[in-house]
Amino acid sequence: LSVVGIDYEERYIVKAKAVAAKAGLSERLKLHCASVYDRALPEMAGKDFDCAYFSGSFSLLPDPPEALRAVAALLKPGGVIYITQTFQRRAPPGLSVIKPLMKYCTTIDFGQLVFEREAVAFVEQAGMELAENVVVPRSVDNSLQVARLLVVRPKKRSLFGR
C-alpha cells in the first residue's frame, strides 16, 4: 500500500515527512507540496487512486466544485472522495466575518463558514453525487453546526451518455 499526501503549505509537508520517517514509512508515503488546483497534479501524484480524502479542509477551498473535479480525475473507476468537515447549520451574527479574520490572530486559517446545504450544492455543481452523508459519531452535532462525513463519487453514466 502506498499513499500520496498533498498540501499547499510546505510546513505541513515537512512535518509529515518527519513523522513518516520516524514511523519507517517514508518509502510508502509520497508527499507533495502542491495545490489541488495544480494542473500538473496528475503527473505529480498519479491517476489511479481508490479514494481521496479532504480532512477539515473544505472550508478553506476557494472553489470547492473545481477541487472535487480535480481530485475525481485522479481516481480509478469506482473511486470515491471522502470529506470530513464541521458544517454550519446556522450562524450566530457576525461569525461569517470573524471566522476568516481569525487567521490574523492565530496561526490557523479557519476558512469561511460553509453551511451543510452549500456542501451538498458544491457536490452537485461538480457534476458528482453523494453516496453517503452522515453525522460523524461522537462529534459536533448541535443546532449551530454538525460534523459530517460525505462520500462523493462521480455520477454514473447511462449507456446513452446521460
Side-chain angles (χ1 to χ4, degrees):
L1 174 69
S2 69
V3 176
V4 174
I6 299 165
D7 199 293
Y8 67 94
E9 286 205 36
E10 183 67 32
R11 65 187 173 132
Y12 288 129
I13 297 300
V14 169
K15 176 68 174 178
K17 285 181 178 180
V19 170
K22 188 175 180 180
L25 297 173
S26 294
E27 293 301 313
R28 293 184 154 192
L29 185 59
K30 306 302 178 212
L31 299 160
H32 303 281
C33 184
S35 167
V36 70
Y37 304 107
D38 190 332
R39 297 281 179 223
L41 194 58
E43 291 78 33
M44 186 185 320
K47 292 199 233 179
D48 59 349
F49 295 96
D50 294 312
C51 64
Y53 178 50
F54 288 92
S55 174
S57 60
F58 221 60
S59 66
L60 299 170
L61 298 169
D63 187 348
E66 181 57 29
L68 289 172
R69 286 189 288 271
V71 170
L74 305 177
L75 297 175
K76 292 179 183 176
V80 297
I81 300 169
Y82 296 97
I83 301 168
T84 53
Q85 179 77 47
T86 299
F87 296 111
Q88 295 299 129
R89 287 188 165 143
R90 59 187 184 86
L95 188 58
S96 62
V97 174
I98 294 169
K99 186 176 181 185
L101 296 176
M102 290 176 68
K103 67 183 172 188
Y104 300 108
C105 304
T106 69
T107 60
I108 301 168
D109 184 351
F110 291 98
Q112 306 293 320
L113 289 185
V114 177
F115 289 84
E116 195 174 351
R117 64 185 176 279
E118 290 177 305
V120 172
F122 291 149
V123 171
E124 292 169 1
Q125 290 166 19
M128 304 182 83
E129 64 186 3
L130 279 175
E132 221 173 313
N133 181 358
V134 297
V135 174
V136 175
R138 296 176 299 283
S139 191
V140 176
D141 184 7
N142 59 48
S143 64
L144 295 178
Q145 53 188 199
V146 60
R148 299 198 75 84
L149 165 65
L150 307 180
V151 181
V152 179
R153 65 179 175 217
K155 286 185 178 175
K156 294 179 182 169
R157 295 184 179 235
S158 74
L159 294 176
F160 304 104
R162 297 183 204 162

